[in-house]
Amino acid sequence: MKRYAFVLVNCIFALFISGSVMAGSSIQCPDISQAQQLVDCPTEDDMKRMFKIKCGFERDPNAKKQTELCDSYAEYKRRKYNAMWESSDKAFMGYVSCAVPPAEIKKGQPTSVAISQKNGLYKITCSYESSAKLTMRTRSVCRVPGVKNSLLVMRAECGANGKPCKVECD
């Protein structure tokens, strides 16, 4: 529990300072090979206990379309078997699947960057080949260079095609 409190305090601190630090700057997706896993992956017993607390029982283990979190233990584990990671500069964080080995996650190259905005808070999400996603939140107004501004989400493919995964923030 102490680890989760530590992660929460770090997130709040990063959010607090990101508004002033990022003003008028270009932000590039972090190198995931330098990222660190902050907490251990949950054990199988932990996952079963969390499933029992959250769901109680399997609702529809044979669900095919529109599966819900509590339909089956397998679906619950697929969605919740994660650990918190952060970039080396501690600006980006995200829950990354424990089903993928850390060495494979660290090999992943950035594939896309997306920006969404809600109530004046901008969320920058960097996606990687290893299915990992790291996110940064800031109050600075951000945009993806060369992408038409949309009120919902701005997204750009990058990485493999040589285009850098970066955003501009005021």
Side-chain angles (χ1 to χ4, degrees):
M1 190 64 151
K2 287 182 181 180
R3 286 185 184 183
Y4 293 112
F6 174 75
V7 169
L8 179 63
V9 169
N10 277 342
C11 289
I12 292 170
F13 179 72
L15 177 62
F16 213 47
I17 65 169
S18 67
S20 59
V21 172
M22 298 302 160
S25 63
S26 176
I27 301 169
Q28 192 151 348
C29 285
D31 179 0
I32 202 163
S33 69
Q34 302 300 312
Q36 296 180 28
Q37 185 174 335
L38 296 179
V39 294
D40 295 333
C41 290
T43 65
E44 187 67 22
D45 288 340
D46 290 339
M47 292 300 302
K48 287 179 181 176
R49 184 176 40 76
M50 289 186 295
F51 177 76
K52 186 175 181 182
I53 290 169
K54 172 77 175 168
C55 302
F57 59 92
E58 292 186 326
R59 294 189 184 140
D60 185 5
N62 298 317
K64 300 291 183 212
K65 295 181 182 179
Q66 301 280 323
T67 56
E68 297 293 327
L69 181 66
C70 292
D71 281 346
S72 68
Y73 174 70
E75 180 63 18
Y76 182 85
K77 186 173 180 180
R78 184 185 73 77
R79 292 189 195 182
K80 297 294 186 178
Y81 188 50
N82 303 313
M84 177 66 81
W85 284 61
E86 75 177 353
S87 62
S88 59
D89 64 358
K90 301 183 183 348
F92 284 81
M93 300 181 98
Y95 286 99
V96 178
S97 174
C98 291
V100 180
E104 188 176 325
I105 291 167
K106 289 184 173 245
K107 287 185 209 173
Q109 296 298 312
T111 58
S112 65
V113 63
I115 299 174
S116 59
Q117 185 265 355
K118 184 176 181 179
N119 298 331
L121 187 64
Y122 285 78
K123 181 170 80 170
I124 303 165
T125 303
C126 297
S127 299
Y128 296 86
E129 292 171 337
S130 56
S131 299
K133 291 183 180 182
L134 296 180
T135 302
M136 175 185 166
R137 289 171 173 81
T138 181
R139 292 235 176 252
S140 298
V141 177
C142 298
R143 65 198 158 284
V144 177
V147 175
K148 184 179 177 187
N149 191 358
S150 140
L151 294 177
L152 299 176
V153 176
M154 289 180 275
R155 181 169 295 148
E157 298 299 315
C158 50
N161 59 9
K163 184 177 176 186
C165 278
K166 68 178 187 178
V167 299
E168 301 288 330
C169 296
D170 298 334

